[in-house]
Amino acid sequence: MIRVPRAVLLTRPVEDAAPLARRLDALGHRAVVEPLLTIRYLDSIAVDLSGVQALAFTSANGVRALIHARPDAAKADLPVFAVGAATAAAARDAGFALVTSGAGDVESLARVIVAQASPGAGALLHIAGRERAGDLAGALQEAGFTARRLVLYAAEGVTALSGETQAALRAGQIDDVIIFSPRTARQFVTLITQAGLQGAVARLRLVALSARVAEAAKPLAFATVSVASRPDQDALLDLFDAGVASKRQDR
């Protein structure tokens, strides 16, 4: 089976884009990193782990933010519940030993926590960003758990696409754009419209992590839209393997 190399625009924050770029490179593609969000840690926030039975992370940025705030956090030997495989890998890299992963979304993470944690064993601490999708702490509270949300970082949108990326889009040198979240999709729509690049988008394939991401990007008329079969990075990368039958929405 012959894989056709593609130029792929990555819109994730730079810390998340780097490992994805390496994986695309290993598949024979070329990654163009254009973060639409930058991560800013919120300093001067106390992190109290007393009475906590487990930590919950809905992004790898949450893991990095906790380690920034409490470099010794992994030494507390607390179990970790991670939203998906990439976040779980970040937790293990940070030194956490007992890591359990959900299926890539907040709903599945809540189900895993409810099945494996005990309401009477202490609080569950969700390390979160200022803007987030879903309400993990609320779902856990409804299930009878004591759950707290601690906001340790903010994901801030950039104000414009770089000149290099704008030029590449105008020249037809980008084949695909990968978008992981509805918020990033909305940001992409805004920046493309601001730059007057709607015509260039008509040559692109949108590779979306979920149907909600594809819905948020609907104001732009992509050549095709491919949605990962499940909300995780491995399923998304399957869309770059020739012959893989993933869910597609062609317009």
Side-chain angles (χ1 to χ4, degrees):
M1 185 178 296
I2 299 174
R3 181 181 290 119
V4 179
R6 301 180 70 84
V8 185
L9 188 67
L10 303 184
T11 59
R12 304 204 80 188
V14 65
E15 298 89 348
D16 298 308
L20 180 55
R22 289 193 292 270
R23 293 189 65 180
L24 284 166
D25 181 70
L27 290 172
H29 305 296
R30 179 173 66 88
V32 179
V33 178
E34 179 73 14
L36 300 191
L37 300 172
T38 58
I39 303 302
R40 179 172 63 87
Y41 298 134
L42 304 179
D43 293 323
S44 303
I45 297 177
V47 179
D48 183 6
L49 300 180
S50 59
V52 173
Q53 67 163 303
L55 299 168
F57 297 105
T58 45
S59 76
N61 288 310
V63 177
R64 290 187 281 264
L66 176 60
I67 297 303
H68 175 81
R70 280 282 303 265
D72 64 339
K75 294 180 181 178
D77 292 327
L78 291 171
V80 163
F81 292 99
V83 69
T87 302
R92 294 186 186 99
D93 289 345
F96 292 98
L98 184 58
V99 181
T100 303
S101 178
D105 54 40
V106 170
E107 292 79 8
S108 71
L109 178 59
R111 289 193 295 270
V112 168
I113 294 173
V114 168
Q116 298 193 19
S118 171
L124 292 156
L125 183 61
H126 174 205
I127 305 299
R130 192 172 61 193
E131 299 82 14
R132 58 196 169 271
D135 182 8
L136 178 62
L140 295 173
Q141 289 165 1
E142 288 182 3
F145 288 83
T146 299
R148 306 199 312 266
R149 180 187 301 116
L150 183 62
V151 176
L152 290 183
Y153 71 95
E156 299 176 339
V158 302
T159 58
L161 295 171
S162 68
E164 294 83 354
T165 292
Q166 291 190 42
L169 287 167
R170 287 194 174 93
Q173 295 170 349
I174 304 293
D175 300 305
D176 307 277
V177 56
I178 293 179
I179 301 182
F180 274 73
S181 72
R183 183 187 175 198
T184 304
R186 292 190 292 270
Q187 178 78 351
F188 187 71
V189 171
T190 297
L191 297 179
I192 287 293
T193 303
Q194 174 182 298
L197 287 167
Q198 296 94 324
V201 166
R203 297 190 293 266
L204 295 182
R205 176 177 66 152
L206 169 63
V207 180
L209 187 70
S210 69
R212 283 184 287 187
V213 173
E215 181 68 24
K218 268 190 173 181
L220 295 177
F222 293 89
T224 60
V225 177
S226 296
V227 179
S229 58
R230 60 185 186 279
D232 63 52
Q233 187 166 279
D234 286 339
L236 187 147
L237 286 170
D238 283 346
L239 297 171
F240 290 89
D241 282 328
V244 172
S246 296
K247 179 182 178 183
R248 296 178 62 91
Q249 300 174 348
D250 294 332
R251 295 177 182 165

